[in-house]
Amino acid sequence: MRSDTIFGIAFAVLGILIFGSTVTLPERLFDYVGPRLFPQVVGVLMFVLAVGLVMKGKKPGPCAGSHAGTLPAIAEEATAQVKENDDREKIGRRYPVDVALLALCAAFVVILPKVGFLFSTVLFLVASMVVLGGHRRISIPGVVILAILLAGSIYLCFVKILGVILP
Amino acid sequence: MFTEVLAEAFLTILKPDLLLWMMTGAAAGVLIGALPGMTSVMAMTLLLPFTFTQSPERGLAILLSVYVGGMSGGLISAILLRMPGTPSSIATTFDGYPMAQQGNAARAMGLAILSSFFGTVVGSVLLSVSAPPLARFVLSFGSFEYFALSVLALSVMVSLSGRSLVKGLLSGLFGLWIATIGTDPVEGVPRFTYGFTELQSGLALLPVLVGVFAVSQVLREANAVQKEYLLPETDYRRFLPSIQDLFKQFGNALRSALVGVYVGALPGTGGDVAGLLAYDWARRRSRHPERFGRGAEEGVVAAEAANNGVIGGALIPALTLGIPGNAATAILLAGLTIHGLNPGPFLFRDHVVLVYVVFAALFLSAFLVFTVQLTCIRLFVGTLRMPKYVLLPVVLVFCFVGSFVLNNRIFDIWVLLGFGVIGYVLEKGGFPLGPLVLGVIVGPMAENHLRIGLMTSMGSIVPLFTRPLSLGILCLALASFLGPMVREWRKSCSA
């Protein structure tokens, strides 16, 4: 299945969910629009456009892609960048680094309130530097020392100098 | 009278120790603004307690230097990393980052620094010259005008949609939905909170923006294992633009700075909206609109001149009406009230020197920040030029801290991560992120003002089309929405 079709289906489902969730909201109390209307319009438009995306993915018309290369190419450039990165990653990737890094982020947020900012940051920095291949350049002890120095500097900067309260 | 008071104001702030404080504030603002996830608002918030012990004039002058520094600092990471240091620098990433990728990072930064400086100076001059009459004009805006203005802002989605209009609009609608999460602002009904008390106040803008842009970018860069350094090599020989370049960009910079001042004067809007509007305008006026998004210098100039023009504009309603145009001016006003001063028309009558100190401090801050950026740019860039395996985790930690300190909630870090994934996945699917952010920022403004307008007109939508200002803005929005669509459709079908 093409990615446009998958995204189209996902957005169509989200549109339905948004519209469906508004049904439980009170219609209106004292204003003339109420809390429902705005998200309902968003949900309906999202559904319609998502169906359009699915259809467009299946049947490219003569004017399909009419905006290609003419309007600001933010998406275009970004997509190109993503593809470029993907090509690079095919060369030397052994595991999905993005997923691993994301899992480490989630682990950091889970342990942060339990063990505090300093310790959790050291752990996070060591683990993420290893995931990103830092240990191949400066060895594991080097990574640990660097992580302690970095976490300590960030902690000092925020807590001691700027007076920020961290867990 | 005007010149005498202005001279007195300059004499008040032109003291060596205060200048040193302001210079330090400017450097701190630039550095904090350059770190993804850290904003000028955060820098000002952190510094506010330090100004308690100072006189109101000195405290405000220091806060203003941090504000200007923070707004300008965002351009560094926006250009070098495609991670807007502050939300105001979003539009700078569109062309600044492609320029950096093409080896023109120094040139992009040079143009952006000059444009920021120019925008701040234009904003400060306009603030001091036209504050009272412009504030009266803005005061005449009703809810329908604000609604029309938000429709105009939303029409920019078409321009930000890139390759696929459908994907751009879907991304924008997603942003609009995100903006509806939380307690309904008019009737107080919780919407899409699903039992989470943390969601009742809605999703904080900062974790959403930082997640969508910074975290998603970190995840993307993490995959590019062959690239050891995130930053491209920067050749500083072409750092400062030539005189010809300055002449070429003058009209664009002036127009964008004026857009910034105007947008800044409207409460509830900010540098992000101004940057997007000015960017869109620059693209429409350009002889080469196809270059936008691929490293067009006009795009960088427009975005930076506009987001810094906002500073002067935002101070107009803040000082004359006591209405903060954005979070940063709210902190400035907090600085005033802490010293027992009430912002508003009486400030001009009872503390006229203080008002002119603000004008003078803003003007001076523009020069201080400009000097700091010109002299220390290599230092700031050097801070960001670390090996990728060091920089990416550090950026993530800054994003975590930035999201956490906003409300001291772990929940906001989850929001940050969630939107990081959303941004990452959407971009992999070819969905532009600009419309999403636009929807999140402008959505609440559109809904609230429409509903409040309808309440004041007893449910009648007619005033939206009969009030000349709102009708004029709506016509502009319609042209802005349909124009590019029709033009592109014709072009592609005739090809």
Side-chain angles (χ1 to χ4, degrees):
Chain A
M1 212 180 327
R2 283 186 53 176
S3 77
D4 278 5
T5 312
I6 297 168
F7 275 104
I9 292 168
F11 271 113
V13 171
L14 182 63
I16 293 168
L17 282 176
I18 292 170
F19 192 88
S21 298
T22 59
V23 178
T24 56
L25 297 173
E27 207 160 305
R28 64 186 175 93
L29 299 171
F30 51 83
D31 79 331
Y32 292 88
V33 175
R36 278 184 181 188
L37 186 72
F38 195 77
Q40 277 179 342
V41 171
V42 169
V44 169
L45 286 176
M46 191 180 277
F47 179 78
V48 171
L49 284 169
V51 170
L53 186 65
V54 174
M55 301 306 283
K56 199 177 164 190
K58 285 183 177 170
K59 293 179 188 174
C63 292
S66 59
H67 300 274
T70 47
L71 288 171
I74 303 152
E76 208 172 311
E77 292 297 324
T79 312
Q81 180 74 34
V82 170
K83 280 179 183 160
E84 189 189 333
N85 287 350
D86 286 347
D87 292 342
R88 285 193 201 124
E89 86 194 66
K90 277 173 197 163
I91 305 167
R93 197 182 72 176
R94 289 187 193 149
Y95 51 88
V97 182
D98 47 359
V99 178
L101 197 59
L102 200 61
L104 288 175
C105 290
F108 171 81
V109 188
V110 170
I111 64 166
L112 177 65
K114 295 183 175 74
V115 299
F117 177 80
L118 202 55
F119 191 57
S120 52
T121 304
V122 171
L123 287 180
F124 172 75
L125 288 176
V126 169
S128 50
M129 281 197 269
V130 168
V131 162
L132 290 166
H135 63 292
R136 284 197 285 270
R137 288 177 180 85
I138 52 170
S139 76
I140 292 282
V143 166
V144 175
I145 292 168
L146 187 60
I148 292 170
L149 287 174
L150 284 170
S153 311
I154 295 170
Y155 183 82
L156 276 178
C157 176
F158 279 101
V159 177
K160 298 295 174 192
I161 299 173
L162 296 172
V164 169
I165 300 166
L166 292 172
Chain B
M1 168 72 182
F2 175 81
T3 48
E4 282 170 19
V5 182
L6 198 61
E8 195 181 337
F10 269 109
L11 282 176
T12 308
I13 57 168
L14 283 175
K15 291 185 176 134
D17 63 326
L18 182 57
L19 281 178
L20 193 65
W21 266 106
M22 287 179 72
M23 185 68 103
T24 311
V30 171
L31 192 60
I32 294 177
L35 294 170
M38 307 283 118
T39 64
S40 55
V41 176
M42 199 177 294
M44 290 169 75
T45 313
L46 296 172
L47 210 80
L48 188 61
F50 297 109
T51 63
F52 291 170
T53 51
Q54 309 273 344
S55 69
E57 289 83 4
R58 292 169 66 91
L60 277 177
I62 297 167
L63 280 177
L64 273 169
S65 64
V66 179
Y67 182 18
V68 177
M71 289 289 273
S72 300
L75 68 89
I76 298 173
S77 49
I79 289 170
L80 296 177
L81 303 172
R82 213 199 74 159
M83 295 174 185
T86 63
S88 304
S89 306
I90 283 167
T92 312
T93 63
F94 298 165
D95 283 292
Y97 183 68
M99 277 184 79
Q101 292 300 297
Q102 292 154 16
N104 295 320
R107 185 170 171 77
M109 283 192 288
L111 278 169
I113 288 169
L114 269 170
S115 309
S116 298
F117 166 70
F118 184 73
T120 315
V121 169
V122 169
S124 68
V125 170
L126 280 179
L127 167 73
S128 47
V129 171
S130 65
L134 200 60
R136 274 198 295 275
F137 174 68
V138 173
L139 199 61
S140 70
F141 266 43
S143 290
F144 285 117
E145 280 78 17
Y146 275 114
F147 173 69
L149 194 77
S150 45
V151 173
L152 176 64
L154 285 172
S155 69
V156 177
M157 274 184 196
V158 175
S159 306
L160 294 180
S161 289
R163 188 186 282 270
S164 165
L165 181 65
V166 175
K167 286 183 179 177
L169 292 179
L170 275 170
S171 176
L173 284 168
F174 184 72
L176 284 172
W177 173 63
I178 294 302
T180 64
I181 294 174
T183 305
D184 168 50
V186 178
E187 298 198 348
V189 177
R191 293 188 296 194
F192 308 108
T193 55
Y194 305 109
F196 287 96
T197 49
E198 292 92 342
L199 284 176
Q200 290 205 338
S201 54
L203 292 168
L205 184 61
L206 188 76
V208 172
L209 292 189
V210 176
V212 162
F213 281 100
V215 175
S216 68
Q217 179 74 6
V218 166
L219 293 175
R220 219 169 10 255
E221 291 293 345
N223 261 345
V225 288
Q226 301 299 310
K227 204 165 67 171
E228 190 177 345
Y229 292 94
L230 208 58
L231 290 188
E233 284 291 340
T234 308
D235 180 4
Y236 288 95
R237 276 175 301 183
R238 294 184 67 213
F239 180 51
L240 281 179
S242 64
I243 301 290
Q244 288 96 321
D245 290 331
L246 293 181
F247 275 115
K248 212 166 82 179
Q249 296 291 348
F250 181 76
N252 178 24
L254 183 64
R255 188 178 58 238
S256 306
L258 292 175
V259 168
V261 175
Y262 180 70
V263 171
L266 301 171
T269 55
D272 37 13
V273 176
L276 290 167
L277 283 174
Y279 177 85
D280 187 53
W281 200 352
R283 188 189 63 79
R284 284 163 201 265
R285 300 268 308 190
S286 172
R287 285 179 193 167
H288 302 285
E290 74 282 356
R291 289 185 191 163
F292 277 67
R294 293 172 180 172
E297 293 182 353
E298 299 108 294
V300 176
V301 170
E304 279 303 317
N307 73 32
N308 274 61
V310 162
I311 302 171
L315 283 169
I316 295 169
L319 289 176
T320 56
L321 306 170
I323 301 171
N326 53 32
T329 45
I331 293 165
L332 279 176
L333 294 192
L336 277 174
T337 47
I338 282 164
H339 286 99
L341 299 165
N342 288 322
F346 291 114
L347 201 64
F348 281 76
R349 193 191 64 187
D350 302 334
H351 301 279
V352 67
V353 176
L354 177 73
V355 173
Y356 279 80
V357 161
V358 172
F359 299 162
L362 181 58
F363 192 72
L364 193 61
S365 296
F367 284 90
L368 290 176
V369 170
F370 184 60
T371 311
V372 164
Q373 285 185 311
L374 282 190
T375 51
C376 305
I377 189 71
R378 288 169 196 242
L379 180 74
F380 295 130
V381 174
T383 313
L384 295 172
R385 192 171 165 75
M386 293 186 248
K388 209 174 69 173
Y389 61 85
V390 178
L391 184 62
L392 294 184
V394 169
V395 166
L396 281 173
V397 172
F398 274 110
C399 293
F400 296 151
V401 175
S403 300
F404 176 80
V405 298
L406 197 67
N407 297 310
N408 284 335
R409 293 194 308 183
I410 297 287
F411 178 77
D412 286 328
I413 311 182
W414 284 117
V415 172
L416 171 92
L417 287 181
F419 277 89
V421 175
I422 289 170
Y424 183 55
V425 171
L426 283 180
E427 212 164 37
K428 278 222 165 198
F431 287 80
L433 301 177
L436 189 157
V437 171
L438 192 73
V440 175
I441 294 169
V442 183
M445 193 165 107
E447 185 185 14
N448 295 352
H449 287 297
L450 176 65
R451 291 172 70 178
I452 294 167
L454 287 173
M455 281 165 79
T456 52
S457 67
M458 309 298 282
S460 169
I461 194 78
V462 175
L464 182 64
F465 305 103
T466 54
R467 290 171 71 111
L469 268 174
S470 63
L471 182 67
I473 300 170
L474 273 185
C475 289
L476 269 177
L478 194 68
S480 162
F481 192 80
L482 293 178
M485 286 169 69
V486 172
R487 202 163 45 242
E488 302 307 329
W489 183 77
R490 272 189 187 168
K491 203 183 280 179
S492 66
C493 285
S494 63

